[in-house]
Amino acid sequence: MVNITFPTVTVPRNLINDTLQVLNKTREGPVTIPNAPVIPPWLQHALLSLYMALLVLSILLIAHYVFYARHARSDPQGPAGAPAEVPLSIIIPVKNEKPETVAEAVKRLGALQCPRAEVLIVSDDPPDVFEEVRRAVEALGMPNVKVLRRPTPRGYKGVALNWAAERAEGDVLVFLDVDSVPPPDMCQRARAVGEREILFLGWDGYAPVKTPVAQLQLFLYKYLLLHVAILGRHNTGHPVFALGSGIAVRREFFREVGGFCNCTADDYDISMKAYLHGGRVAYAPGPPVYVEVPAGYDAFKKQYARWTYNSAYLLAVYGAEIFKLKMPLAHRLSVFLNVATHPLMILTTFSIMLAGVAMGYMGIILPPLHILILQLALGVAALMQSYYVYKLAARDGYSFPAVAGRLITSGALLLALSPYLTLYVLMGLLKRRIRWHVTPKGLASVAGRLGLYELGLAAALAALLAYALYISNWVLASSAAFLILAVLHALARVAIPSSQLGRG
């Protein structure tokens, strides 16, 4: 028998008593440093109330992801499919794409088992560029492929898709991006679309250039998007939203809902219109559509800004309609959180950053007890999210520290970009139009560099730290130092190394 002796840990009684006394003070209000600046009580109360509301929203967002992560069981079996005789039209929009890129997309479709299907390439390029694309496609010798050009290429991508849909011959329309890799059974699953539904084939990512920002996105696409946001919602029977590539819909229902909008949020918009017209969006389990993730930090930042704007725009257009949908309250709440996830994440992250700075300026060491409890609940919720994401990623060999590290890096990147992205949230909520930027492909996506925004943010935080040290406010200095470390972590681990290839 082996005797095991545990070390004796002695906690000074005074330390316990002092801690309990400090915590007891938080029942009456915040605990501040002695030289804290004088703040009107009403302003302090307002800021703490706002901070509390932001904590509640953050907990709600994480909790809904935890709920779906618990139900993210993968089902490789899709629907049986409809008869192959159902005519199919696959529509691919292109603009500013290389002819070789378009030809590769057509080759991928040619490798599928897809009888009675036509492929329509709709181009918004100038005539000379369009001719190069047309010649590259015609050189493949595939008779079921047509390359069309809109005479007046105006409006966003959705308008081009509607124009092509009017010229399509198929009873089922499939919309695909030029960089997407379709699953082998795409046509079979697409033909199974119901009369009054939009069928979504699911998304996962691929990256021809393995930069840190690409690797991070591949992780998030697989475990937070595909497994949690799509599979988790599908498995619980909650409403799903289609994304911009891998959508199938019957021609009649497409016309009934009015097609795509003339906006950048065309995929979420048509999903909302399907629900408002008494239809639904259905996820077809099986191999997903693989979409290219931007490998460069600048390309990622612009794409994420557009996605953030899209969700905010949809909230402005349909916010009042969501809770009028004829579905259970839990489903309506799911629709709201699906649409509002990006704007809420951005606004809460940015506002919590500002609230932390404001509390630091007020010299608050400990907030009131109810806020302390919410902060603890937020930490527990974040740990639960990490655990359930780890359970999904462990099947592919990820360790818990690796999963937690990726989630921490993702959070730091979100924190660093939150002021920039907040501007796009506000533009979306105000329904201000933005310019569509075609996401560059391959090595072209790493051509961007860190810009004035990153330099300005670093300079502003450094100035805040210097000011805090000047006025001897160590609480504010600690807040500023934490923000600087988070931003530097995101830039050093993701942004800077993801832009190195662009220096050539």
Side-chain angles (χ1 to χ4, degrees):
M1 185 173 66
V2 178
N3 292 323
I4 300 177
T5 303
F6 292 97
T8 302
V9 179
T10 303
V11 179
R13 181 176 297 178
N14 290 340
L15 177 62
I16 297 177
N17 291 335
D18 292 345
T19 302
L20 291 175
Q21 287 178 9
V22 171
L23 290 176
N24 191 51
K25 289 181 181 179
T26 62
R27 298 172 62 184
E28 302 173 359
V31 178
T32 61
I33 58 176
N35 63 336
V38 179
I39 301 294
W42 67 267
L43 179 58
Q44 185 183 86
H45 178 74
L47 289 172
L48 290 174
S49 298
L50 175 62
Y51 182 58
M52 181 181 69
L54 295 171
L55 288 174
V56 171
L57 276 176
S58 299
I59 293 170
L60 178 63
L61 281 174
I62 295 178
H64 105 280
Y65 263 97
V66 169
F67 174 75
Y68 292 124
R70 293 179 63 240
H71 296 84
R73 301 178 306 275
S74 180
D75 181 8
Q77 299 300 320
E85 290 76 21
V86 177
L88 200 71
S89 293
I90 303 171
I91 299 174
I92 301 178
V94 298
K95 184 177 181 179
N96 298 332
E97 301 289 355
K98 295 180 180 179
E100 312 88 75
T101 302
V102 182
E104 285 299 320
V106 174
K107 287 180 184 178
R108 287 194 291 266
L109 292 174
L112 302 180
Q113 294 296 322
C114 198
R116 294 209 65 187
E118 66 170 355
V119 178
L120 300 181
I121 308 294
V122 54
S123 168
D124 274 357
D125 292 310
D128 55 336
V129 178
F130 165 75
E131 284 301 320
E132 292 182 18
V133 171
R134 184 184 60 80
R135 287 195 295 268
V137 172
E138 289 182 352
L140 299 176
M142 299 172 62
N144 62 329
V145 181
K146 301 176 184 177
V147 185
L148 309 175
R149 179 181 180 273
R150 288 199 297 157
T152 54
R154 297 175 184 171
Y156 289 110
K157 168 185 166 184
V159 181
L161 295 175
N162 294 341
W163 183 87
E166 287 299 316
R167 288 150 181 81
E169 299 177 358
D171 295 333
V172 173
L173 308 176
V174 178
F175 300 95
L176 205 65
D177 284 346
V178 69
D179 61 333
S180 298
V181 179
D185 61 350
M186 182 187 76
C187 295
Q188 178 189 6
R189 288 158 66 194
R191 287 187 166 107
V193 61
E195 296 292 335
R196 299 186 59 78
E197 72 179 19
I198 294 173
L199 194 74
F200 178 47
L201 301 176
W203 261 25
D204 202 348
Y206 75 91
V209 185
K210 299 296 178 67
T211 62
V213 74
Q215 298 280 31
L216 181 61
Q217 289 177 91
L218 291 178
F219 180 86
L220 298 176
Y221 268 51
K222 188 174 187 65
Y223 301 112
L224 287 183
L225 177 60
L226 177 60
H227 282 84
V228 177
I230 299 174
L231 264 175
R233 280 189 166 90
H234 168 75
N235 290 337
T236 56
H238 285 189
V240 178
F241 273 63
L243 299 176
S245 183
I247 298 176
V249 60
R250 298 273 174 174
R251 175 198 294 273
E252 294 79 8
F253 190 55
F254 182 78
R255 288 175 175 171
E256 180 184 337
V257 302
F260 293 104
C261 65
N262 182 20
C263 66
T264 61
D266 47 77
D267 48 2
Y268 264 35
D269 178 84
I270 199 171
S271 297
M272 274 300 308
K273 288 192 288 193
Y275 287 120
L276 290 171
H277 281 76
R280 67 171 191 147
V281 179
Y283 167 64
V289 173
Y290 283 88
V291 295
E292 181 178 338
V293 300
Y297 166 74
D298 188 61
F300 159 77
K301 184 172 73 171
K302 290 177 180 177
Q303 185 186 75
Y304 196 45
R306 188 178 76 242
W307 287 358
T308 300
Y309 167 88
N310 289 348
S311 296
Y313 175 85
L314 260 291
L315 276 180
V317 174
Y318 296 110
E321 305 292 331
I322 290 176
F323 288 96
K324 298 178 183 177
L325 292 170
K326 295 181 179 179
M327 57 178 62
L329 178 60
H331 290 195
R332 282 176 277 167
L333 179 61
S334 178
V335 170
F336 171 76
L337 289 175
N338 199 331
V339 175
T341 290
H342 285 306
L344 285 179
M345 278 198 310
I346 299 305
L347 290 179
T348 53
T349 301
F350 181 52
S351 299
I352 287 177
M353 176 197 295
L354 294 181
V357 170
M359 290 170 60
Y361 176 75
M362 291 186 290
I364 296 178
I365 304 173
L366 290 175
L369 183 61
H370 59 283
I371 293 182
L372 274 175
I373 293 173
L374 287 175
Q375 288 177 330
L376 177 62
L378 180 62
V380 171
L383 283 175
M384 289 179 63
Q385 182 185 31
S386 300
Y387 170 72
Y388 282 108
V389 173
Y390 160 70
K391 286 185 66 176
L392 297 171
R395 306 167 190 168
D396 298 321
Y398 284 96
S399 64
F400 184 80
V403 170
R406 279 168 171 77
L407 293 178
I408 290 172
T409 300
S410 174
L413 187 60
L414 180 65
L415 184 70
L417 288 175
S418 61
Y420 171 80
L421 297 175
T422 296
L423 177 62
Y424 281 86
V425 173
L426 297 177
M427 287 194 295
L429 293 176
L430 296 173
K431 294 187 277 190
R432 300 290 299 271
R433 295 173 71 86
I434 62 172
R435 183 178 178 182
W436 177 281
H437 292 280
V438 177
T439 305
K441 312 295 188 300
L443 283 173
S445 68
V446 297
R449 292 172 170 79
L450 301 188
L452 293 177
Y453 167 76
E454 288 75 21
L455 296 176
L457 179 62
L461 293 177
L464 179 65
L465 177 60
Y467 172 73
L469 295 174
Y470 175 74
I471 63 175
S472 301
N473 187 335
W474 65 265
V475 182
L476 179 60
S478 299
S479 298
F482 170 79
L483 293 175
I484 290 174
L485 289 175
V487 169
L488 290 179
H489 174 76
L491 296 180
R493 291 290 301 273
V494 177
I496 295 175
S498 298
S499 303
Q500 292 300 312
L501 292 177
R503 298 178 183 275

